[in-house]
Tab-separated table of all heavy atoms in Angstrom:
chain	number	residue	atom	x	y	z
F	1	PHE	N	-1.804	-12.271	17.824
F	1	PHE	CA	-1.121	-11.132	17.126
F	1	PHE	C	-1.445	-10.883	15.642
F	1	PHE	O	-0.684	-10.167	14.929
F	1	PHE	CB	0.491	-11.310	17.155
F	1	PHE	CG	1.031	-12.689	16.697
F	1	PHE	CD1	1.429	-12.668	15.264
F	1	PHE	CD2	1.203	-13.766	17.426
F	1	PHE	CE1	1.811	-13.857	14.797
F	1	PHE	CE2	1.867	-14.925	16.858
F	1	PHE	CZ	2.058	-14.970	15.505
F	2	GLY	N	-2.470	-11.419	15.143
F	2	GLY	CA	-2.923	-11.267	13.778
F	2	GLY	C	-3.248	-9.810	13.459
F	2	GLY	O	-2.756	-9.322	12.490
F	3	LYS	N	-4.080	-9.089	14.438
F	3	LYS	CA	-4.301	-7.806	14.131
F	3	LYS	C	-3.146	-6.895	14.139
F	3	LYS	O	-2.950	-5.985	13.451
F	3	LYS	CB	-5.463	-7.357	15.093
F	3	LYS	CG	-5.859	-5.862	14.831
F	3	LYS	CD	-7.122	-5.524	15.600
F	3	LYS	CE	-7.507	-4.136	15.419
F	3	LYS	NZ	-6.947	-3.264	14.404
F	4	GLU	N	-2.276	-7.186	15.147
F	4	GLU	CA	-1.100	-6.325	15.149
F	4	GLU	C	-0.134	-6.440	13.995
F	4	GLU	O	0.236	-5.490	13.525
F	4	GLU	CB	-0.334	-6.762	16.424
F	4	GLU	CG	1.056	-6.130	16.773
F	4	GLU	CD	1.926	-6.822	17.781
F	4	GLU	OE1	1.371	-7.370	18.748
F	4	GLU	OE2	3.105	-6.690	17.701
F	5	LEU	N	-0.115	-7.661	13.449
F	5	LEU	CA	0.688	-7.849	12.255
F	5	LEU	C	0.090	-7.179	11.095
F	5	LEU	O	0.793	-6.505	10.278
F	5	LEU	CB	0.837	-9.303	12.004
F	5	LEU	CG	1.577	-9.718	10.636
F	5	LEU	CD1	3.073	-9.267	10.935
F	5	LEU	CD2	1.628	-11.300	10.505
F	6	ASP	N	-1.308	-7.290	10.869
F	6	ASP	CA	-2.010	-6.658	9.921
F	6	ASP	C	-1.789	-5.042	9.998
F	6	ASP	O	-1.584	-4.410	8.931
F	6	ASP	CB	-3.537	-7.108	9.939
F	6	ASP	CG	-4.247	-6.385	8.729
F	6	ASP	OD1	-3.808	-6.210	7.640
F	6	ASP	OD2	-5.492	-6.312	9.021
F	7	ASP	N	-2.018	-4.508	11.158
F	7	ASP	CA	-1.853	-3.095	11.331
F	7	ASP	C	-0.398	-2.634	11.166
F	7	ASP	O	-0.257	-1.493	10.426
F	7	ASP	CB	-2.245	-2.711	12.876
F	7	ASP	CG	-3.777	-2.828	13.127
F	7	ASP	OD1	-4.587	-2.986	12.153
F	7	ASP	OD2	-3.980	-2.819	14.335
F	8	TYR	N	0.521	-3.337	11.492
F	8	TYR	CA	1.954	-2.908	11.210
F	8	TYR	C	2.134	-2.984	9.726
F	8	TYR	O	2.785	-2.156	9.219
F	8	TYR	CB	2.758	-4.041	11.946
F	8	TYR	CG	4.354	-3.774	11.604
F	8	TYR	CD1	4.930	-2.765	12.160
F	8	TYR	CD2	4.982	-4.753	10.821
F	8	TYR	CE1	6.292	-2.534	11.846
F	8	TYR	CE2	6.424	-4.546	10.592
F	8	TYR	CZ	7.074	-3.382	11.096
F	8	TYR	OH	8.324	-3.162	10.832
F	9	ARG	N	1.677	-4.007	9.110
F	9	ARG	CA	1.827	-4.115	7.578
F	9	ARG	C	1.047	-2.938	6.963
F	9	ARG	O	1.625	-2.285	5.808
F	9	ARG	CB	1.373	-5.447	7.019
F	9	ARG	CG	1.847	-5.832	5.720
F	9	ARG	CD	1.331	-5.262	4.490
F	9	ARG	NE	-0.219	-5.001	4.550
F	9	ARG	CZ	-0.777	-4.347	3.672
F	9	ARG	NH1	-0.210	-3.935	2.553
F	9	ARG	NH2	-2.169	-4.234	3.734
F	10	SER	N	-0.014	-2.544	7.360
F	10	SER	CA	-0.793	-1.493	6.770
F	10	SER	C	-0.050	-0.193	6.769
F	10	SER	O	-0.021	0.610	5.906
F	10	SER	CB	-2.193	-1.351	7.355
F	10	SER	OG	-3.060	-2.349	7.102
F	11	GLU	N	0.499	0.140	8.023
F	11	GLU	CA	1.270	1.333	8.241
F	11	GLU	C	2.612	1.373	7.346
F	11	GLU	O	2.959	2.379	6.694
F	11	GLU	CB	1.657	1.474	9.622
F	11	GLU	CG	0.537	1.919	10.484
F	11	GLU	CD	-0.064	3.302	9.894
F	11	GLU	OE1	0.620	4.234	9.763
F	11	GLU	OE2	-1.337	3.258	9.805
F	12	LEU	N	3.270	0.286	7.251
F	12	LEU	CA	4.475	0.120	6.325
F	12	LEU	C	4.150	0.360	4.971
F	12	LEU	O	4.902	1.127	4.372
F	12	LEU	CB	5.087	-1.369	6.581
F	12	LEU	CG	6.252	-1.660	5.746
F	12	LEU	CD1	7.443	-0.803	6.158
F	12	LEU	CD2	6.576	-3.194	5.780
F	13	PHE	N	3.014	-0.255	4.510
F	13	PHE	CA	2.585	-0.062	3.189
F	13	PHE	C	2.326	1.443	2.937
F	13	PHE	O	2.753	2.023	1.815
F	13	PHE	CB	1.282	-0.846	2.742
F	13	PHE	CG	0.984	-0.851	1.277
F	13	PHE	CD1	1.630	-1.587	0.389
F	13	PHE	CD2	0.072	0.055	0.892
F	13	PHE	CE1	1.325	-1.548	-0.836
F	13	PHE	CE2	-0.238	0.220	-0.473
F	13	PHE	CZ	0.338	-0.608	-1.430
F	14	LYS	N	1.544	2.006	3.716
F	14	LYS	CA	1.235	3.378	3.593
F	14	LYS	C	2.408	4.372	3.477
F	14	LYS	O	2.529	5.194	2.641
F	14	LYS	CB	0.258	3.990	4.646
F	14	LYS	CG	-1.052	3.553	4.482
F	14	LYS	CD	-1.991	3.951	5.647
F	14	LYS	CE	-3.278	3.272	5.544
F	14	LYS	NZ	-4.228	3.466	6.830
F	15	LYS	N	3.479	4.081	4.430
F	15	LYS	CA	4.649	4.993	4.415
F	15	LYS	C	5.594	4.741	3.287
F	15	LYS	O	6.159	5.642	2.727
F	15	LYS	CB	5.232	4.782	5.848
F	15	LYS	CG	4.541	5.447	6.941
F	15	LYS	CD	5.208	5.097	8.208
F	15	LYS	CE	4.441	5.618	9.353
F	15	LYS	NZ	5.055	5.286	10.627
F	16	GLU	N	5.798	3.271	2.938
F	16	GLU	CA	6.853	3.090	2.105
F	16	GLU	C	6.516	2.573	0.702
F	16	GLU	O	7.300	2.738	-0.318
F	16	GLU	CB	7.829	2.017	2.595
F	16	GLU	CG	8.495	2.616	4.026
F	16	GLU	CD	9.482	1.664	4.567
F	16	GLU	OE1	10.213	0.830	3.723
F	16	GLU	OE2	9.826	1.768	5.775
F	17	TYR	N	5.309	2.156	0.552
F	17	TYR	CA	4.997	1.374	-0.685
F	17	TYR	C	3.867	2.225	-1.453
F	17	TYR	O	3.978	2.233	-2.701
F	17	TYR	CB	4.433	0.073	-0.448
F	17	TYR	CG	5.553	-0.882	0.022
F	17	TYR	CD1	5.831	-1.049	1.365
F	17	TYR	CD2	6.329	-1.600	-0.943
F	17	TYR	CE1	6.811	-1.846	1.745
F	17	TYR	CE2	7.237	-2.352	-0.602
F	17	TYR	CZ	7.585	-2.621	0.769
F	17	TYR	OH	8.543	-3.402	1.133
F	18	LEU	N	2.959	2.902	-0.822
F	18	LEU	CA	1.825	3.646	-1.403
F	18	LEU	C	2.408	4.792	-2.433
F	18	LEU	O	1.866	4.769	-3.665
F	18	LEU	CB	1.013	4.314	-0.508
F	18	LEU	CG	-0.334	4.895	-1.035
F	18	LEU	CD1	-1.237	3.767	-1.792
F	18	LEU	CD2	-1.229	5.475	0.206
F	19	PRO	N	3.582	5.340	-2.271
F	19	PRO	CA	3.997	6.353	-3.168
F	19	PRO	C	4.585	5.652	-4.392
F	19	PRO	O	4.691	6.434	-5.437
F	19	PRO	CB	5.257	7.026	-2.338
F	19	PRO	CG	4.889	6.766	-0.947
F	19	PRO	CD	4.274	5.489	-0.942
F	20	LYS	N	4.780	4.372	-4.446
F	20	LYS	CA	5.315	3.678	-5.610
F	20	LYS	C	4.195	2.964	-6.458
F	20	LYS	O	4.515	2.484	-7.548
F	20	LYS	CB	6.215	2.480	-5.082
F	20	LYS	CG	7.451	2.866	-4.264
F	20	LYS	CD	8.056	1.729	-3.750
F	20	LYS	CE	9.339	2.185	-2.909
F	20	LYS	NZ	10.096	1.016	-2.477
F	21	VAL	N	3.016	3.107	-6.103
F	21	VAL	CA	1.757	2.628	-6.662
F	21	VAL	C	1.577	3.361	-7.886
F	21	VAL	O	1.600	4.617	-7.941
F	21	VAL	CB	0.540	2.549	-5.804
F	21	VAL	CG1	-0.553	2.120	-6.716
F	21	VAL	CG2	0.664	1.555	-4.718
F	22	ARG	N	1.374	2.767	-9.028
F	22	ARG	CA	1.166	3.388	-10.409
F	22	ARG	C	-0.201	2.840	-10.966
F	22	ARG	O	-0.527	1.672	-10.796
F	22	ARG	CB	2.333	3.144	-11.369
F	22	ARG	CG	3.537	3.644	-10.932
F	22	ARG	CD	3.573	5.246	-10.844
F	22	ARG	NE	4.700	5.871	-10.348
F	22	ARG	CZ	4.824	6.386	-9.044
F	22	ARG	NH1	3.677	6.441	-8.331
F	22	ARG	NH2	6.056	6.915	-8.552
F	23	PRO	N	-0.893	3.748	-11.648
F	23	PRO	CA	-2.125	3.301	-12.304
F	23	PRO	C	-1.900	2.354	-13.425
F	23	PRO	O	-0.726	2.675	-14.141
F	23	PRO	CB	-2.823	4.522	-12.585
F	23	PRO	CG	-1.705	5.512	-12.827
F	23	PRO	CD	-0.607	5.149	-11.850
F	24	PHE	N	-2.649	1.398	-13.788
F	24	PHE	CA	-2.577	0.783	-15.100
F	24	PHE	C	-2.911	1.738	-16.172
F	24	PHE	O	-3.549	2.757	-16.023
F	24	PHE	CB	-3.510	-0.365	-15.149
F	24	PHE	CG	-2.932	-1.608	-14.300
F	24	PHE	CD1	-3.843	-2.061	-13.195
F	24	PHE	CD2	-1.900	-2.310	-14.678
F	24	PHE	CE1	-3.361	-3.199	-12.453
F	24	PHE	CE2	-1.492	-3.313	-13.869
F	24	PHE	CZ	-2.157	-3.825	-12.882
F	25	PRO	N	-2.348	1.509	-17.323
F	25	PRO	CA	-2.553	2.541	-18.432
F	25	PRO	C	-4.018	2.643	-18.759
F	25	PRO	O	-4.779	1.755	-18.727
F	25	PRO	CB	-1.806	1.887	-19.614
F	25	PRO	CG	-0.767	0.936	-18.999
F	25	PRO	CD	-1.412	0.512	-17.739
F	26	LYS	N	-4.403	3.834	-19.062
F	26	LYS	CA	-5.736	4.306	-19.494
F	26	LYS	C	-6.947	3.884	-18.704
F	26	LYS	O	-7.972	3.675	-19.152
F	26	LYS	CB	-5.919	3.819	-20.977
F	26	LYS	CG	-4.854	4.254	-21.920
F	26	LYS	CD	-5.123	3.864	-23.249
F	26	LYS	CE	-3.902	4.220	-24.184
F	26	LYS	NZ	-4.137	5.454	-24.866
F	27	VAL	N	-6.775	3.907	-17.350
F	27	VAL	CA	-7.829	3.608	-16.440
F	27	VAL	C	-9.011	4.604	-16.586
F	27	VAL	O	-10.097	4.325	-16.696
F	27	VAL	CB	-7.449	3.409	-15.001
F	27	VAL	CG1	-8.572	3.259	-14.011
F	27	VAL	CG2	-6.429	2.139	-14.837
F	28	ARG	N	-8.555	5.953	-16.390
F	28	ARG	CA	-9.627	6.943	-16.434
F	28	ARG	C	-10.267	6.887	-17.845
F	28	ARG	O	-11.444	7.120	-17.919
F	28	ARG	CB	-8.815	8.300	-16.219
F	28	ARG	CG	-9.862	9.481	-16.199
F	28	ARG	CD	-9.421	10.792	-15.569
F	28	ARG	NE	-10.246	11.811	-15.653
F	28	ARG	CZ	-11.510	12.092	-15.469
F	28	ARG	NH1	-12.167	11.011	-15.065
F	28	ARG	NH2	-12.075	13.128	-15.571
F	29	GLU	N	-9.599	6.715	-18.895
F	29	GLU	CA	-10.155	6.693	-20.254
F	29	GLU	C	-11.155	5.411	-20.268
F	29	GLU	O	-12.234	5.658	-20.921
F	29	GLU	CB	-9.019	6.539	-21.370
F	29	GLU	CG	-8.212	7.800	-21.461
F	29	GLU	CD	-7.094	7.702	-20.581
F	29	GLU	OE1	-6.979	7.038	-19.686
F	29	GLU	OE2	-6.046	8.572	-20.927
């Protein structure tokens, strides 16, 4: 079940956590 767990976590991250990700200051600069 390792792949199943990894896939489940990936979907959870995309749906609930990705919108919360913020860039570190001045990355583009």
Side-chain angles (χ1 to χ4, degrees):
F1 60 84
K3 180 167 178 8
E4 177 187 334
L5 180 61
D6 185 26
D7 290 347
Y8 175 71
R9 200 278 324 168
S10 291
E11 285 304 311
L12 177 67
F13 186 84
K14 285 177 189 170
K15 288 178 183 172
E16 296 189 29
Y17 292 89
L18 193 58
K20 299 175 185 178
V21 172
R22 297 294 172 252
F24 285 115
K26 302 189 184 260
V27 170
R28 183 162 170 52
E29 290 87 343

